[in-house]
Amino acid sequence: MQNPDAPKAKPHRFRLFDPILAGATLRDRLIACLGALVCIALTGAISGYLFGQGPYLPFIVAPMGASAVLLFAVPASPLAQPWSIIGGNTISAMMGVIAAYLVHDPVIAIGVGVGLAIGAMSLTRCLHPPGGAAALTAVLGGPVVASWGFLFPLVPVGLNSCLLVGLGLLFHKLSRRNYPHVVPKPAENTHQTRDIPPALRVGFQEEDLDAALAVFDEAFDIDRQDLSRLLRQVELQAAVRSHGDIRCADIMSRDVIAIGEDTEPDHARHLLLKHNIRTLPVKDRDGRLIGTVGLRELSRSDGAILHVLSEAAVADIDDPALSLLPVLTDGRTHAVIVVDGDRRVLGLISQTDLLSAMARRLPIDDAATKIVA
């Protein structure tokens, strides 16, 4: 029997218009359109101003349009990073010029140029699809390109690429988008032992990812570390969905031991030991959370709590409790502070609180009972 609450499949006639990129939103596409409009126009205007717009110099080359698609539509792609754009276009244009110089048959020259471009970009780690167009432009550019000879890869190709990347960096910063794309560091064992981090001990391993890629035998337009991070987030979201009925409000401690910003370090240590806890929320004079301290922070205190505060991990009262798993298993954070919109402390969820909630959802079989006994 079909579940009436299950999501319905889209009619086949509309699938042609589905987004072709995972995670793409209408807002992202509108930002991409605006970025390309502004930055391509400025790249052409600045290049024309610097070198004139005479008939012997194309002040902006066609491959910049393709570079703009990557730069603004998929800024997280490895193919859209600054070195990929600048190096890929410039080096490919140089390969095209070399091919045109050495091979006089244009039919053969275009193949040689693009082939050399792919090889050169691969060796220099700047693979960029518009580079193939840059190589073709260098081969088939005619007298305009020929008049510049081996300077063509630098002016206008290199100049255009540098301007486009510079303007793209500024645009993404103003639009608060992450560019260049920086892959977060993988989880580390904070205890400085040879064990892998706790969060990576269960689920798929890196060798499993390598084996899966080998089975597909395809190249994917995503950084390997990004792919690993995405799959781990999928695992987390599946767990949250399965246990989404457990909210932070259900498991948090409400009688929270907290201190003020003027509390003496000795008194803070006393509270930690007396109540057998690892984290103390610290409030300002208005009662708002400003950070946390534990014995680690207090061990380097010079007499002022404010000087050794750690940034507090916070959550909303209605957040799924299992969404706190990455934070509470990072090897550094022992508790998450539940706050309201004004950062006033409502409760605290420790590693023990979350573990107890998860344990209650596990089936208890005979083997587990014997172990406990």
Side-chain angles (χ1 to χ4, degrees):
M1 183 176 178
Q2 187 175 6
N3 181 3
D5 297 326
K8 296 181 180 179
K10 294 183 180 179
H12 287 279
R13 64 180 179 275
F14 293 123
R15 288 187 179 177
L16 177 64
F17 302 101
D18 284 350
I20 58 174
L21 294 174
T25 65
L26 176 60
R27 178 179 177 275
D28 291 334
R29 291 295 164 262
L30 292 176
I31 291 176
C33 293
L34 179 61
L37 186 156
V38 172
C39 295
I40 282 290
L42 285 175
T43 298
I46 295 171
S47 298
Y49 175 78
L50 292 176
F51 291 94
Q53 301 181 19
Y56 299 107
L57 178 64
F59 58 91
I60 185 166
V61 290
M64 292 304 112
S67 294
V69 173
L70 291 169
L71 176 58
F72 297 105
V74 282
S77 168
L79 308 177
Q81 301 314 298
W83 171 237
S84 295
I85 296 176
I86 296 172
N89 283 326
T90 306
I91 291 172
S92 295
M94 180 61 73
M95 294 301 103
V97 170
I98 292 173
Y101 181 79
L102 296 177
V103 182
H104 299 293
D105 186 337
V107 175
I108 299 176
I110 57 176
V112 171
V114 174
L116 287 176
I118 293 175
M121 287 189 290
S122 300
L123 289 174
T124 53
R125 301 180 63 84
C126 59
L127 194 64
H128 185 60
L136 278 178
T137 303
V139 175
L140 302 176
V144 174
V145 173
S147 64
W148 282 86
F150 285 95
L151 284 179
F152 177 75
L154 301 178
V155 181
V157 177
L159 172 67
N160 290 166
S161 300
C162 290
L163 286 173
L164 184 62
V165 167
L167 293 167
L169 288 167
L170 179 61
F171 179 84
H172 284 305
K173 185 176 180 63
L174 293 175
S175 59
R176 299 181 179 179
R177 302 178 89 194
N178 176 25
Y179 185 81
H181 179 64
V182 178
V183 181
K185 289 184 178 181
E188 298 178 351
N189 188 333
T190 57
H191 304 298
Q192 299 182 7
T193 64
R194 288 181 302 220
D195 291 317
I196 63 175
L200 303 183
R201 294 175 194 172
V202 212
F204 74 88
Q205 303 296 320
E206 294 305 305
E207 52 266 30
D208 300 324
L209 180 58
D210 291 333
L213 290 172
V215 168
F216 280 109
D217 194 22
E218 295 181 55
F220 295 93
D221 185 12
I222 182 172
D223 183 272
R224 188 182 179 285
Q225 292 183 18
D226 275 335
L227 180 59
S228 176
R229 194 163 57 102
L230 174 64
L231 293 176
R232 295 197 183 280
Q233 187 64 28
V234 170
E235 288 183 332
L236 173 63
Q237 293 303 322
V240 170
R241 176 177 51 79
S242 301
H243 304 282
D245 56 324
I246 308 176
R247 320 301 289 182
C248 288
D250 300 326
I251 68 171
M252 70 183 189
S253 302
R254 298 174 184 269
D255 183 16
V256 180
I257 309 299
I259 60 175
E261 58 184 279
D262 299 322
T263 302
E264 292 293 327
D266 287 341
H267 181 58
R269 290 190 194 92
H270 170 72
L271 290 175
L272 287 167
L273 296 173
K274 176 184 177 182
H275 295 281
N276 193 26
I277 54 180
R278 293 187 176 187
T279 303
L280 284 172
V282 182
K283 304 177 183 178
D284 63 14
R285 291 182 176 86
D286 295 324
R288 294 184 176 86
L289 180 70
I290 56 174
T292 61
V293 293
L295 289 176
R296 184 193 303 112
E297 289 83 5
L298 293 172
S299 67
R300 58 177 189 269
S301 171
D302 59 358
I305 290 287
L306 283 175
H307 295 165
V308 293
L309 284 181
S310 290
E311 183 178 355
V314 298
D316 185 81
I317 195 169
D318 291 322
D319 286 344
L322 261 68
S323 66
L324 308 183
L325 269 173
V327 178
L328 290 176
T329 56
D330 64 4
R332 297 181 298 272
T333 307
H334 301 292
V336 173
I337 317 301
V338 181
V339 296
D340 62 14
D342 293 325
R343 288 187 70 85
R344 298 188 184 278
V345 177
L346 302 177
L348 179 146
I349 298 176
S350 67
Q351 293 168 320
T352 304
D353 295 328
L354 185 58
L355 182 60
S356 298
M358 293 178 62
R360 286 182 176 274
R361 292 302 182 100
L362 296 176
I364 305 298
D365 56 19
D366 294 338
T369 305
K370 292 176 182 177
I371 292 174
V372 173

